[in-house]
Structure formats: structure tokens, C-alpha cells
Amino acid sequence: MQECCFILLGATGDLALRKIFPALFKASQAGLKPTITACARSHLSTHEFLDKLSTKAKEHIKDLDSKAWAHFSTYINYTPLDFNKPEDFKALKANHPNTIIYFSIAPEFFAKACQNLAAVGLNAPNVKIVLEKPLGTNLQSCKDICAQISQHFQEAQIYRIDHYLGKQSVQNLFYLRHNNPFLAGLLGAHYLDHVQISVLETLGVESRGGFYDPMGALRDMLQNHMLAMLALSTIPANTPQENIRQAKLEMLKSLKPLGQEALKTEVVRGQYAAGGGFKGYTEEEQVNPHSQTETFVALKLELEHPNWQGVPFYLRTGKRMGVSLVQVVFVFKGPPQALIYTIQPQCSLELQLQGMGALKSALDSGMDAYERLILEVVAGNQAPFNHQNELEAAWSFVDPILQSWQTNLTPLLPYAATSYGPQAAFDLLKQDKREWFAHV
Ligand code: NAP
């Protein structure tokens, strides 16, 4: 049994109750023995907290084994703690060699939490911190947050989560090529015409309008998850595990900045209007009725990297789409036509061969992303977490787009809910004599 001390800040929050505790429970069934200190502002006893937690666990853990859950509950203690009261932090102890402090809290509290933790010695080298996204809303705010944290913690102690990187199906964008050298040979500039990355959701903003409206699709999906998928799809196939973050950084740094003309003609932003029985975005709960927030983005980009010279990438993401789909399509210059790697709804790999139809194989999408990532933190493997420089490189690419939208360089185009986004997203490929694949 592997032991660790796990301090969870924000333990009464949505993310902690819905994702982190279920992941810790599953990890404990797989052999982890965490001593868990659950912290939040609410004044609750451990007993009251566990009551709340087990109600949620029944909702979010499939076929919950009540005996195993009761045993897991014995690992948990609740400690009320307010970030505005440094004295509350004295109740925390980090005397285990493997201590993990998980920040499941809003980023505006990160600096204060770090300062209070450091004041009671909880930034010692045996302590690792896990930071939830979003780390900033543009390049400058990302740098500011990272600078505040690095006053108290070393980079080797910091695990910045992007839960997409915890999905084996996403990591396989690299391992597919790493473990199959013949594919690595095919999936490069020599044979490829272009690459498409789609993250389409049938869901709208649901109850998260208040969180989503200040963010939008570019920040919520493209800047982090999609650029991470792009980086994993393009790093050299022979990259050793310990160099993955550095290789991803090189790819992100090679993103060719979009100039004024490209910002105008190769970036599409949209917002869903009523359609298919669904209301429009601006009619959603907690959304400003005059909101100019995008729920759809499509764009074309290139990498200034010798391995990817002349291969354009088309990215699109949207809410309230006609289909739920997370997919990377490598389109070849000649036969075979395309290699389609689907992550959702079902993980599969499909090779479209000239005159033969498709060869498709279903793949196992594996363990829950949060469980995997927690086990990686326990093991001290930073590879599936973002380095500060990766975040900054991604923001450097995205910032000019955000700025161009502030001056309305591109219009916010309406699209009907349950459609596939504005016509301009189709024209983006059509102008290059290409079209989107839509494979489910
Ligand atoms: P949430 O439901 O609002 O929970 C916030 C937590 O922070 C609560 O436990 C709250 O405690 C605690 N808190 C607030 N003010 C505090 C203070 N002054 N001192 C101590 N604790 C305080 O938020 P969430 O949805 O769980 O999200 C947490 C973080 O994860 C956010 O950064 C969010 O962007 C990120 N995230 C969330 C999701 C998701 O699906 N929810 C997904 C990805 C990332 P009390 O309830 O006791 O006041």
C-alpha cells in the first residue's frame, strides 16, 4: 500500500465532491492509502462533512461498494479553514514525506493560500501542490499568478492540472506514434496534407453560465486542452518520457503568431442562438443577455517547426453542436486518405484506405483522468502536468486573438443550437479546397 498525506483545499466545492473524492476513492481501491485532510470555509464537523460527501458519492460513483466507502471515509478528517485567517493554517500538518496539497479553489485564492501555507512551513520540499485551472485569463494574468506561487514553491513541487492530460486517450496521441514507428513515419510533413482537431459538445453552458460567460470557448477549451492535444500530436515520436514537457513546450513555442490578416480571415467566432428545441446562449441562466462571449471558435494555424513545415492545422470547438465529438484527423496528401483518432464518444482509431472502406478498431479509454493524475502526483511524475512555460507559450498564441476580438476585428456569428457552427467555419476550409471530417 502506498501512503500519502493529502490536504484538499476547497473540499466542499463542486469539483472536489464530484471528481476529486471519487478519484481518491478509486485510487484507494487500487492500493493508495491517503490520510485526507478536507478543508473549506464552512464550519462543519468531520461527521457532517462525511454526510454531505457520501450523498454526493452515491450520485457520482457507479455501483458504489458501501463497505469500501465506509472504510475510505475513515481516512478523512475535516478542518474548517479560511484563506483570510492565516491562523487557521496552523491546524494543518505535513509530516509525511509524500504530502500533497490540492488547490480545488478559485485561482484568486492561490496567492493567499500559498502565503499562508509557507508561513506555517507547508512549502517544505516534501510538499507538492496541485493547481486547478484556469491559471489566468491571458498571458499577463497567467504570469502574475505563477510569479506569486513561485515566491513560495519551486517548479519541481508544482503540478498544474489540465484534466485532458490525464486521459490515456489523449496521452495516446503521443504513445500511438511513440510505440508504432511506422505510424510516426506517416504522421509528419512528408505525407500529411493537413490535421484537424475538433472538440464538439452537444451540451450548452448548463448551470455554469456564471463561470463560462467571462471565459468563452477560446479560453475554456482551445488555449489549454486543444493546444495540449496539438502538442502531444506533434512532438517527435521518439521523445523520452522525461523530455515530454520540454518537447511540448518547443511545439507550443513554434506556433506561428497570427498576423492581422490571419486574425481577420482565419479565425471564426460564434455564439449559439436558439435552435433544435434549445434556447440561445444569451437566454441561459447567469449569462449576460447582451453577452458577446463566444461559444464556438474555429481557426487555422501553422507550426514553424521543421517536422511540420507546410502542414496547416484546423481547430474547432463549440457548445450546443449537433454531435459530441473529440477527434484528431490526420489527412494525407494521397492514399491512405486519413487516420482518424477519436477520443469521444468512444476511443477508436480508423484508417481510411483508398478503395477499401475503413479499418476501425475500438480502444479502451481506461482509467478516470483525475484518478490517473492523482496517482501521477503521488509518484512524482510531472510529465502529464503543465510547466509554467507551456502555459505562457499557449497564452502568447491566444492573446492576439483575444485582443483582436476586443476591437471587433472578426464578427461574433450566430449559429443555431444543434448545428455545426457558423457557415464561416466551413468556408475556412473551403477556401483551401478542404472540408471538415465528421466521424462519430
Ligand atoms: P466551488 O464549488 O465554488 O467551491 C469553492 C470551494 O472553495 C468551496 O469548498 C469553498 O468553501 C472554498 N472557499 C471559498 N472561499 C474560501 C475561503 N475564503 N477560505 C477557504 N475556502 C474557501 O468551486 P469548484 O467548482 O469546486 O471549482 C474549484 C476550482 O476548480 C476553480 O478554480 C474552478 O475554476 C476549477 N475547476 C472546476 C471545475 C468544475 O467542474 N467544477 C472543472 C475544472 C476546474 P465553502 O463552500 O465552505 O465556502
Side-chain angles (χ1 to χ4, degrees), residues 10-16 18 39-42 78 81-84 103-107 109 132-134 163 208 211 370:
T12 53
D14 172 67
L15 182 70
R18 209 163 44 81
C39 307
R41 194 173 33 181
S42 303
Y78 181 82
L81 171 148
D82 190 329
F83 302 131
N84 298 312
F103 288 41
S104 182
I105 52 176
F109 293 124
E132 264 301 335
K133 68 156 197 157
H163 71 271
R208 295 176 69 230
F211 161 80
Y370 276 95

